[in-house]
Amino acid sequence: MNAHAHPFDPAVPRHDWTLDEVEALFELPFTELIFRAAEVHRRWFDPTQLQLSQLLSVKTGGCPENCGYCSQSQHFKTATTASKLMEAEAVIAAAAEAKAGGAQRFCMGAAWRDVKDRDLPKVAAMIAGVKALGLETCATLGMLTAAQAKALKAAGLDFYNHNLDTGPDYYDQVVTTRTYQDRLDTLAHAREAGMSTCCGGIVGMGETRRDRAGLLHQLATLPSHPESLPINDLMPIPGTPLGGSTPVDGLEFVRMIAAARLVCPKSMVRIAAGREHMSRELQALCFLAGANSIFIGARLLTTDNPDQDQDTAFLADLKMGPLRTTAAQTV
Ligand code: SAM
Ligand code: DTB
Ligand code: SF4
């Protein structure tokens, strides 16, 4: 190697990606993109192992935000009915069931714009109870102040999920009740409190490839990459502005997974919402392209996910199994 050769190793995380570089990944021939992503995947992970998370909506509906994809916004008339914050005991019982079903991480979701301090004691009790079961804990509760993030961490919260959803240029087509910067600020609070972050987005909302690249570019240039990177395929919700969106082609979804793997080599890339309408072959292609996490259990927050039996058979057919080390890694 001469003195000018750049010892570029694609498996080493970088934080200086340009938007054009990320977009160029999507333009690679499909086989080339998948192969590169699979190579990087194997450098950091056992490609036969999947991290298994399970969701519970601990507070459903009635949300003041206007996210155009969401069944839980009070701005739209959807089939989802609002309910109050669950009692900690009921949440902990659901987590115990999830653990018995093989879940490794339990994620509690609330349809809130932001956390109210009055709700913190109850949420802290849920987190502490779920953690005591030996599960990794995750919550997605909307915006957090720095002090709230510290309180959640102290209660035992391992991960905070807060998605950027799409690229910055498309964001105001999707939601107008908060800004992209609001989302980045909450992520910073979670990170600074010492929690791992879970941050990704949605495809299938009418965005362009450049918008998808824009989302990944944002994630890749954060001070630290999100430890978990969920890619949701839009679950179209009748009654929402995005309920009639044209679905994204499966191959484009796989490209998004592969590009996510390449820009955040050490993150757990999750096929999040949307497996319900994906074939086994498409999901298998995603695993080949670097996806190594899924949600298990028959419900996500308000929509369906494949039945547990179906997933058990699927993973057995693939000869794939649960991740064997679940310690959050620093990226
Ligand atoms: N209210 C909190 C928030 O918005 O951060 C937490 C819950 S919210 C439902 C969590 C994430 O789920 C959203 O950021 C979005 O990425 C994803 N999501 C919500 N509805 C979806 C849908 N219909 N299809 C795909 N993903 C969806
Ligand atoms: C994520 O990225 N997707 C999950 C979790 N993080 C919170 C939520 C998916 C929700 C799908 C629509 C619903 O079930 O309401
Ligand atoms: Fe509210 Fe979250 Fe749904 Fe947006 S995605 S409307 S913030 S529950």
Side-chain angles (χ1 to χ4, degrees), residues 55 71-72 107 140 161 163 198 201 230 232 235 237 270 272-273 295 300-303:
L55 283 162
S71 65
Q72 307 195 68
C107 180
T140 182
N161 164 260
N163 289 340
C198 171
N232 295 275
M235 297 294 280
I237 310 287
R270 182 177 307 126
F295 286 121
L300 295 167
L301 291 173
T302 67
T303 63

